[in-house]
């Protein structure tokens, strides 16, 4: 099940993404995760040809039918929109090329979801050196809306996690019949839709799976 663009931003902002387990979280890792989660492209079709992210735009797209099936390649002069993937060549601000996900066009720069330096975060990046964009042809439907408010747990045990992911730390657990008050935020990851609330003791956001993607099977009103 793929994510929407907004769900991807909500899920990965602030997290280090390392798809291939090599060299830590690079800009390519965030791109590959995005292509897989939002467009359903296999990882093998997201790879560089020379170790530099810019080659995905200049070469990989030509060589990988699975990538062309899901993304259109657009020139640097295109007016970008949210969810486009921007690629830079060798330039003063991007000496080893770069790739990032567009959130908004800012004229001479792009507000992007980007990684390296640092974990995934939002930042403005100059358009100088821009090669162009890959634009997703389709996006997944939104996760269920209208979930704010009180719900009763509808399964024997429901794990509470520190992040919206099945791999995140379990910090608490609800039992059948207990009530949880959700704030209305949703995300989709690891095959599940997720909701959240503020932990009374920790003051931190806590996350529970609502059910398999597209459902709220684990909860009832």
């Amino acid at each position: 099940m793929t994510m929407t663009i907004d769900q991807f931003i909500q899920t990965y902002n602030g997290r280090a993404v390392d798809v291939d387990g090599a060299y830590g979280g690079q800009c390519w890792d965030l791109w590959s995760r995005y292509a897989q989660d939002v467009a359903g492209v296999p990882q093998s079709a997201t790879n560089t040809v020379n170790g530099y992210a810019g080659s995905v735009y200049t070469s990989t797209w030509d060589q990988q039918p699975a990538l062309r099936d899901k993304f259109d390649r657009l020139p640097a002069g295109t007016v970008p929109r949210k969810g486009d993937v921007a690629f830079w060549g060798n330039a003063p601000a991007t000496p080893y090329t770069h790739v990032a996900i567009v959130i908004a066009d800012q004229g001479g720069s792009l507000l992007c979801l980007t990684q390296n330096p640092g974990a995934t975060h939002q930042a403005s990046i100059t358009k100088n050196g821009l090669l162009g964009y890959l634009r997703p042809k389709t996006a997944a439907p939104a996760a269920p809306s209208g979930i704010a408010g009180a719900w009763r747990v509808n399964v024997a045990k429901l794990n509470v996690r520190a992040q919206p992911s099945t791999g995140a730390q379990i910090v608490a657990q609800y039992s059948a019949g207990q009530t949880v008050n959700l704030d209305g935020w949703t995300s989709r990851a690891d095959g599940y839709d997720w909701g959240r609330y503020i932990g009374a003791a920790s003051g931190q956001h806590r996350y529970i799976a609502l059910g398999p993607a597209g459902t709220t099977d684990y909860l009832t009103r």
Side-chain angles (χ1 to χ4, degrees), residues 32-43:
S32 181
R33 183 80 276 147
Y34 181 77
Q36 293 176 64
D37 287 1
V38 171
V41 177
Q43 180 183 331

Side-chain angles (χ1 to χ4, degrees), residues 13-39:
N13 192 28
R15 296 172 60 181
V17 178
D18 186 2
V19 169
D20 59 4
Y23 307 109
Q26 303 294 306
C27 63
W28 171 87
D29 294 280
L30 184 63
W31 141 250
S32 181
R33 183 80 276 147
Y34 181 77
Q36 293 176 64
D37 287 1
V38 171

Side-chain angles (χ1 to χ4, degrees), residues 79-201:
V79 176
R81 66 190 188 197
K82 187 176 184 179
D84 288 352
V85 184
F87 290 85
W88 286 262
N90 297 98
T94 57
Y96 301 104
T97 80
H98 193 63
V99 58
I101 295 40
V102 175
I103 297 174
D105 185 7
Q106 298 179 313
S109 63
L110 297 169
L111 178 63
C112 293
L113 189 71
T114 184
Q115 179 173 259
N116 190 25
T120 303
H121 60 285
Q122 296 184 25
S124 292
I125 305 175
T126 178
K127 289 182 180 177
N128 292 339
L130 189 66
L131 296 171
Y133 307 93
L134 295 187
R135 176 170 291 173
K137 295 183 178 182
T138 60
S145 60
I147 67 161
W151 293 78
R152 291 195 313 278
V153 175
N154 198 36
V155 290
K157 298 292 182 183
L158 184 62
N159 291 327
V160 179
R161 297 184 182 271
Q163 295 291 335
S165 167
T166 55
Q169 178 188 7
I170 297 173
V171 295
Q173 195 173 67
Y174 280 98
S175 298
Q178 286 188 295
T179 299
V180 57
N181 286 286
L182 301 177
D183 66 6
W185 174 94
T186 61
S187 183
R188 183 168 291 171
D190 303 331
Y192 298 91
D193 284 339
W194 298 81
R196 75 181 183 189
Y197 64 94
I198 299 290

Side-chain angles (χ1 to χ4, degrees), residues 35-57:
Q36 293 176 64
D37 287 1
V38 171
V41 177
Q43 180 183 331
S44 59
T46 69
N47 291 335
T48 71
V49 299
N50 59 8
Y52 294 100
S55 67
V56 173
Y57 179 85

